[in-house]
Amino acid sequence: MWYVIQTMTGKEEDLRLQLNALPGRECFYECFIIRAEWLKRLGGRWEAQVRPLFPGYVFVETGRPEELFLKLKETPAYARLLGNGRYEFTAVEEEEEDFLRTICQMGQEEGGVPGSEKRRLVRLSTARPQESGEGWQIRGPLKAFEKQIERINLHKRYAVVRVSMGRREQTVLFGLAGSGEIADEEDSEIAASLQAKGKVEL
């Protein structure tokens, strides 16, 4: 089962590393961060970036949550990574986990070593207005959350979606590619940038 451990935004990777170095590492299968592709305009070009889809959240897959929680509380380094002194350790509902597995592309790092961390990456989606002027034509991971979309900003290439995670509602941002396929000159730059990003460790 998946659980969410909450830390300060920007400290997700620090917490993931602390978890992997935790004494009694056998009490969980894997810890990971769900990341998403994102486009940002820099110097007149769209630059591909990767950032946590759920800022401040690290996911753990374990069948022994009580044991893991006690080990975490005994680790001073873990306490320093918490934003407000509260130990946020929350089960992910089965339906939420299924959604996350659906939208993530899972695979090992290029040339992956057995036992290495699996990458969970949410790819870019596309969105274009319907010809009728009502609703959107959506492709990609965002399609799974079509009914929860609050707004779409085509100019800045993101969609705001309200989701439930760990029994708590929040908004997350999904990155958008250009409308239609990545095919024109501008979007070819995006494709090349994403390919380059895929060669580095996330």
Side-chain angles (χ1 to χ4, degrees):
M1 187 171 184
W2 286 11
Y3 289 80
V4 165
I5 303 176
Q6 194 165 1
T7 184
M8 292 178 286
T9 299
K11 295 293 185 180
E12 299 90 355
E13 182 64 14
D14 291 343
L15 177 55
R16 189 187 71 81
L17 293 174
Q18 288 289 344
L19 285 166
N20 278 328
L22 194 69
R25 170 67 174 79
E26 69 278 359
C27 66
F28 66 93
Y29 305 117
E30 183 185 12
C31 62
F32 54 92
I33 301 164
I34 296 180
R35 296 179 168 93
E37 292 176 340
W38 180 265
L39 298 177
K40 187 172 183 179
R41 193 80 169 176
L42 297 171
R45 296 167 62 95
W46 287 105
E47 177 71 19
Q49 301 183 348
V50 176
R51 61 176 66 177
L53 180 65
F54 300 96
Y57 280 22
V58 175
F59 294 82
V60 180
E61 184 175 1
T62 179
R64 296 151 64 181
E66 296 85 0
E67 182 179 347
L68 175 58
F69 182 64
L70 289 175
K71 288 185 179 295
L72 286 170
K73 291 189 70 173
E74 295 169 358
T75 306
Y78 170 59
R80 289 197 297 270
L81 291 172
L82 298 176
N84 54 11
R86 294 168 57 193
Y87 290 87
E88 299 285 354
F89 191 85
T90 309
V92 176
E93 298 291 336
E94 184 176 354
E95 184 178 350
E96 296 168 349
E97 183 177 330
D98 289 343
F99 261 120
L100 293 175
R101 289 183 184 275
T102 298
I103 66 174
C104 292
Q105 176 176 335
M106 299 175 60
Q108 293 193 351
E109 299 290 345
E110 188 172 327
V113 178
S116 63
E117 180 199 6
K118 292 179 180 179
R119 291 172 55 186
R120 287 175 169 81
L121 181 66
V122 178
R123 299 290 187 181
L124 293 171
S125 299
T126 61
R128 65 170 66 177
Q130 296 279 13
E131 292 183 3
S132 64
E134 297 181 4
W136 297 85
Q137 181 180 341
I138 296 170
R139 297 177 61 185
L142 183 61
K143 182 71 175 177
F145 295 94
E146 189 170 3
K147 294 181 179 179
Q148 292 107 298
I149 295 174
E150 292 200 338
R151 66 178 183 277
I152 291 177
N153 188 322
L154 293 180
H155 177 67
K156 294 186 177 180
R157 296 197 177 182
Y158 69 80
V160 179
V161 177
R162 180 164 293 279
V163 300
S164 173
M165 180 54 55
R167 302 170 186 170
R168 178 181 301 172
E169 280 204 350
Q170 61 180 293
T171 56
V172 296
L173 302 182
F174 281 72
L176 298 176
S179 59
E181 298 294 335
I182 298 180
D184 59 28
E185 181 177 353
E186 182 183 69
D187 284 342
S188 293
E189 297 173 3
I190 299 170
S193 180
L194 289 174
Q195 184 178 18
K197 293 287 181 181
K199 295 180 181 179
V200 301
E201 185 177 355
L202 299 179

